[in-house]
C-alpha cells in the first residue's frame, strides 16, 4: 500500500509534461527497480550466506549495507560473500547496478541535451526574427534612396522647376 503523501507526489510528477517523457520515466522506473534489487539481493544473500563458515553477512542490516556498497562499487571489504551463491548474487547485483546507473546517467544527459537544444532553437528563432526585421528596414531605406535618386535624375534631365531668367 502506497502512503497518501507518496501517492500525491507520484500523481503530481506523472501529470507534469517533463515527467511524461520517456527518459524521465526510464530513470524513475530503473531507480524503483534498483531499489527492489537492493532489498531483494540483501535478503537473498543472507539466505545464501547463512550457516557458511567464515560468513560475515549474517543479518539483514549487514546485507543491506553490503548490497548498497556493492551496487555503488564502493566495496569497503568489510562485508563480502564467501559462498558460490553469494558471489553469484554479488555479480548480478553489480551488473544490475552498473546498468541502472548507465540508464539514469543517459536519462539525465538526454534531459540536459534536450534543454540545450530548446535553448538553441529559441535563440535561432530570435536571431532569425531580428535578421528579418533588419533586412526589411534595410530594404525600406534602399527604396527611399532609389526614390530620391529618381527624383534627382528627373530634376537633372529638366523635368524639375526652371530658374527665372
Amino acid at each position: 500500500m502506497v502512503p497518501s503523501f507518496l501517492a500525491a507526489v507520484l500523481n503530481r510528477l506523472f501529470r507534469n509534461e517533463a515527467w511524461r517523457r520517456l527518459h524521465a520515466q526510464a530513470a524513475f522506473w530503473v531507480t524503483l527497480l534498483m531499489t527492489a534489487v537492493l532489498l531483494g539481493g540483501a535478503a537473498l544473500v543472507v539466505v545464501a550466506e547463512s550457516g557458511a563458515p567464515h560468513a560475515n553477512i549474517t543479518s539483514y542490516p549487514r546485507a543491506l549495507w553490503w548490497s548498497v556498497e556493492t551496487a555503488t562499487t564502493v566495496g569497503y571489504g568489510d562485508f563480502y560473500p564467501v559462498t558460490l551463491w553469494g558471489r553469484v548474487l554479488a555479480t548480478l547485483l553489480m551488473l544490475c547496478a552498473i546498468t541502472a546507473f548507465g540508464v539514469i546517467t543517459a536519462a539525465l544527459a538526454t534531459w540536459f541535451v534536450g534543454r540545450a537544444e530548446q535553448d538553441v532553437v529559441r535563440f535561432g528563432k530570435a536571431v532569425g526574427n531580428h535578421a528579418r526585421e533588419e533586412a526589411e528596414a534595410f530594404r525600406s531605406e534602399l527604396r527611399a534612396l532609389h526614390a530620391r535618386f529618381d527624383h534627382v535624375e528627373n530634376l537633372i534631365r529638366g523635368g524639375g522647376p526652371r530658374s527665372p531668367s
Side-chain angles (χ1 to χ4, degrees), residues 81 83-93:
T83 65
L84 173 65
W85 288 111
R87 291 179 179 163
V88 167
L89 285 168
T91 303
L92 292 174
L93 182 65

Side-chain angles (χ1 to χ4, degrees), residues 22-165:
L22 179 62
H23 62 274
Q25 288 181 8
F28 174 77
W29 289 113
V30 165
T31 302
L32 198 62
L33 180 65
M34 195 59 213
T35 302
V37 167
L38 289 174
L39 297 172
L44 290 174
V45 82
V46 170
V47 172
E49 295 289 302
S50 65
H54 307 295
N56 57 22
I57 307 173
T58 55
S59 68
Y60 189 74
R62 285 183 174 192
L64 192 55
W65 174 249
W66 166 82
S67 71
V68 169
E69 71 180 10
T70 299
T72 58
T73 67
V74 171
Y76 292 122
D78 51 352
F79 300 113
Y80 51 89
V82 295
T83 65
L84 173 65
W85 288 111
R87 291 179 179 163
V88 167
L89 285 168
T91 303
L92 292 174
L93 182 65
M94 285 182 249
L95 291 174
C96 287
I98 290 167
T99 302
F101 291 135
V103 169
I104 291 169
T105 301
L108 286 171
T110 301
W111 181 77
F112 282 120
V113 168
R115 296 288 297 205
E117 185 178 33
Q118 289 172 358
D119 290 345
V120 166
V121 167
R122 275 194 298 272
F123 181 71
K125 286 180 180 177
V127 167
N129 289 339
H130 182 67
R132 277 189 293 281
E133 291 169 4
E134 288 293 318
E136 184 55 42
F138 177 75
R139 282 192 288 274
S140 176
E141 189 72 27
L142 192 58
R143 282 191 292 273
L145 285 173
H146 277 290
R148 285 183 176 174
F149 284 134
D150 289 343
H151 180 67
V152 169
E153 281 180 352
N154 285 335
L155 289 174
I156 291 173
R157 286 187 193 150
R162 295 182 186 234
S163 59
S165 347

